[in-house]
Amino acid sequence: MRRALTALGALALVGAGVAWWLTAPDPLPEEELAALQGDAARGRTIFAAAGCASCHVAPDSPTTDAPVLAGGQRFVTQFGTFVAPNISPSPQGVGDWTDAQVMNAVLRGVSPEGRHYYPAFPWNAYNKADPQDVADLVAHLRTLPPSDAESLPHEVPFPFNIRRSLGGWKLLFMQTDWVIAGDLTPEQERGRYLVEALGHCGECHTPRNILGGLRTSAWLSGAPDPSGTGHNPNITPAGLQWSEADIVAMLQSGFTPDFDVVGGEMSEVVANTAQLTDEDRQAIAAYLKAVPPIESAAPEPGTGDSTAEE
Amino acid sequence: MRRLTKIACLAATALTATSALAQDQSPEQTALEIRQGHMLNYAANLGVVGGMARGDREYDAAAAQVAADNLLHLASINQSYYWPEGTSNADMEESRALPAIWENMADFDAKQETLLQAVTALQAAAGTDLATLQGAMGAVGQSCGGCHEDYRESDE
């Protein structure tokens, strides 16, 4: 009996050890990233495509050419309230970080201290970005005005405040491959890159499971708005019966085919997509047409989704 | 006979009109329908100038001017009676107006003013030529989106 207990204890220890190892943050090697030279001019487009300013400018800031990424916007979710940090080039922001540290935050969701970031920061999309694009993005970030605003702590209750548990979340839900695989044209591939990686469209348009992981089997088929009211539309061909030209026009002007104008977070998105080239907007439209048509998913119990059936 | 039919039609129309304004409809419901009709009116006229701007229909200076004039009329209406308390999406199922409107009425009014400025510029530009019309459309879309961003519920 004692032997059995000892064995069990040893097994538990090994299990805990493996779990600790498995949940460890996994940054890319500093030397590998430091070798990349960033181009700030190219980075401006990457910055727009990735939508950085939408979340990182101070609340109610107007969209400008050189946004101040002071942070402070609050994102209320069922797991707690996340507060966007200052990522401007200042001591309170990322001014003292190395380029590789900023790149690891974007590409791996790992902080300079080696801690996991919450997935409210869409590293689970950015992890599919080309490291050269991220180097360019960082070079552009360095040109923006500094802010001395202190980043505010997230308001996240137990157990979600245990950062290490995010290692488990990453094990379960990290999406390092493209959701839409298979044969795509070069244009559709470009669109996939813009939608699945930089644009992180799935973060709002794909339903989540009870732990906040994206249900990739229902990719882009619509989801409740995280604010608690409203529903972000199904943008697969089953939900969005627009022509490619309609999609391109909306991404450029905000006008839908009915000459309604999109609102909510999508207004911010249009402010970004309006800065892309027509070719890139066309690529997004081509990709959206290639996504499998999926009817809006039935809500999972406990996800607070009461509107998906509407 | 034709005359009779005409009278019957008129009577039917009058009846319908009366019932729409009947006392069994709440003032909140009326305000909601006025708002939604107002928005549809924007969309119908934006469809004309927007369709020309994006090349879906041929540029026609006179038609563009009519639509832009209409938009200016619409944007000029004093909407104070459109937005009574108790007509947010928390109060009415068909409403997409967020409660934030009533918490930030000054900002809400300022956004209406932004639209008025954009539409005033559009009205001056629409009849000139296509390029001028196109140049004025961006600000109109942005002003619509600026208000929808903060004050309208996301929906399918």
Side-chain angles (χ1 to χ4, degrees):
Chain A
M1 182 63 192
R2 178 178 292 176
R3 188 186 284 176
L5 272 180
T6 313
L8 203 68
L11 203 67
L13 259 179
V14 170
V18 168
W20 188 251
W21 175 70
L22 280 174
T23 58
D26 177 27
L28 291 164
E30 180 108 359
E31 351 24 297
E32 188 181 309
L33 297 177
L36 298 168
Q37 291 299 312
D39 175 341
R42 271 196 86 246
R44 171 186 288 272
T45 309
I46 310 298
F47 179 82
C52 310
S54 302
C55 291
H56 285 284
V57 293
D60 300 321
S61 302
T63 309
T64 65
D65 248 12
V68 185
L69 305 176
Q73 287 187 54
R74 298 165 62 81
F75 299 88
V76 181
T77 75
Q78 63 187 123
F79 305 104
T81 296
F82 299 96
V83 188
N86 180 343
I87 59 162
S88 72
S90 72
Q92 295 79 11
V94 300
D96 297 338
W97 299 17
T98 66
D99 287 355
Q101 285 173 331
V102 185
M103 293 177 71
N104 258 317
V106 173
L107 288 164
R108 287 299 171 105
V110 177
S111 78
E113 303 81 38
R115 299 210 303 168
H116 294 298
Y117 284 119
Y118 287 103
F121 172 36
W123 46 257
N124 206 12
Y126 296 156
N127 61 3
K128 290 173 282 297
D130 178 352
Q132 180 61 55
D133 280 355
V134 179
D136 296 342
L137 168 68
V138 174
H140 175 66
L141 273 185
R142 303 266 188 229
T143 69
L144 297 175
S147 157
D148 61 4
E150 292 291 344
S151 294
L152 301 171
H154 301 310
E155 295 155 23
V156 179
F158 183 84
F160 305 115
N161 59 350
I162 304 171
R163 291 268 183 166
R164 192 71 180 210
S165 68
L166 290 165
W169 196 95
K170 283 181 171 174
L171 271 182
L172 290 171
F173 305 123
M174 186 130 88
Q175 179 75 30
T176 48
D177 296 326
W178 301 114
V179 176
I180 304 302
D183 282 341
L184 297 181
T185 66
E187 185 182 50
Q188 289 165 342
E189 279 183 4
R190 174 66 183 166
R192 176 175 69 181
Y193 181 65
L194 290 166
V195 170
E196 294 194 20
L198 298 183
H200 59 281
C201 308
E203 299 289 318
C204 289
H205 286 284
T206 299
R208 292 176 184 275
N209 60 32
I210 194 163
L211 290 173
L214 290 178
R215 294 164 60 194
T216 49
S217 60
W219 185 241
L220 301 181
S221 67
D225 194 75
S227 68
T229 60
H231 193 261
N232 299 316
N234 182 339
I235 55 171
T236 75
L240 194 64
Q241 271 122 28
W242 298 0
S243 70
E244 290 188 26
D246 289 338
I247 296 171
V248 170
M250 187 280 289
L251 293 172
Q252 199 267 324
S253 67
F255 285 113
T256 71
D258 302 332
F259 285 92
D260 185 2
V261 176
V262 296
E265 299 297 317
M266 201 60 200
S267 292
E268 304 272 356
V269 175
V270 170
N272 295 322
T273 54
Q275 298 176 51
L276 302 180
T277 61
D278 257 331
E279 288 73 30
D280 275 351
R281 285 187 288 266
Q282 182 59 49
I284 293 172
Y287 166 83
L288 289 178
K289 286 293 178 186
V291 165
I294 299 172
E295 297 298 334
S296 298
E300 278 199 354
T303 53
D305 185 352
S306 58
T307 53
E309 294 302 284
E310 279 176 11
Chain B
M1 183 60 196
R2 183 178 289 172
R3 188 149 173 224
L4 257 183
T5 314
K6 207 171 179 181
I7 290 170
C9 278
L10 272 175
T13 311
L15 262 178
T16 321
T18 317
S19 69
L21 291 171
Q23 303 308 311
D24 56 355
Q25 176 158 309
S26 69
E28 289 79 12
Q29 183 66 28
T30 302
L32 179 76
E33 289 178 15
I34 288 173
R35 277 163 12 199
Q36 292 179 342
H38 193 95
M39 292 296 171
L40 279 176
N41 221 333
Y42 277 135
N45 288 288
L46 283 167
V48 176
V49 277
M52 290 178 195
R54 77 169 60 155
D56 290 347
R57 63 163 82 192
E58 204 172 325
Y59 176 71
D60 172 341
Q65 193 62 60
V66 167
D69 288 349
N70 283 347
L71 286 167
L72 183 54
H73 288 309
L74 287 164
S76 303
I77 285 178
N78 181 311
Q79 295 194 358
S80 51
Y81 61 92
Y82 279 33
W83 305 97
E85 299 266 352
T87 58
S88 78
N89 68 337
D91 308 306
M92 305 175 80
E93 198 168 326
E94 316 92 286
S95 176
R96 291 171 69 190
L98 292 176
I101 292 172
W102 290 270
E103 293 155 17
N104 306 282
M105 206 34 113
D107 181 57
F108 186 65
D109 289 342
K111 289 192 154 68
Q112 175 74 20
E113 183 61 30
T114 307
L115 172 69
L116 181 57
Q117 285 169 14
V119 170
T120 302
L122 177 71
Q123 195 270 345
T128 312
D129 57 39
L130 179 58
T132 315
L133 167 68
Q134 285 169 329
M137 281 301 290
V140 176
Q142 280 161 24
S143 66
C144 299
C147 195
H148 290 175
E149 177 180 351
D150 292 338
Y151 298 120
R152 187 176 70 167
E153 178 188 287
S154 300
D155 203 1
E156 302 259 336

